[in-house]
Amino acid sequence: MVYTLTLNPALDYVLKVSSLKTDDINRASDAEIYYGGKGINASVVLTRLGIEKKALF
């Protein structure tokens, strides 16, 4: 079993816009939140590879 340790987990907030204009209000058409951090990313890859792991925060 592999243990991963993430001391500083992160959330990435991604906004999508149809077009980006300067000197104007840009409104998002969609928003998504992704988890991140080196330990979390490593755990995702290990899961996809079928390796047993335990993520610790």
Side-chain angles (χ1 to χ4, degrees):
M1 176 175 294
V2 177
Y3 291 91
T4 61
L5 177 63
T6 303
L7 299 176
N8 245 352
L11 290 176
D12 297 330
Y13 190 58
V14 179
L15 299 173
K16 295 182 181 179
V17 294
S18 57
S19 64
L20 189 61
K21 301 175 186 172
T22 58
D23 296 329
D24 198 5
I25 296 173
N26 294 291
R27 304 230 186 255
S29 59
D30 191 22
E32 297 177 359
I33 297 178
Y34 297 99
Y35 49 85
K38 290 179 184 177
I40 293 173
N41 294 339
S43 291
V44 169
V45 170
L46 291 171
T47 300
R48 290 181 181 172
L49 293 173
I51 299 172
E52 188 178 355
K53 53 88 184 126
K54 182 78 168 184
L56 305 172
F57 295 98

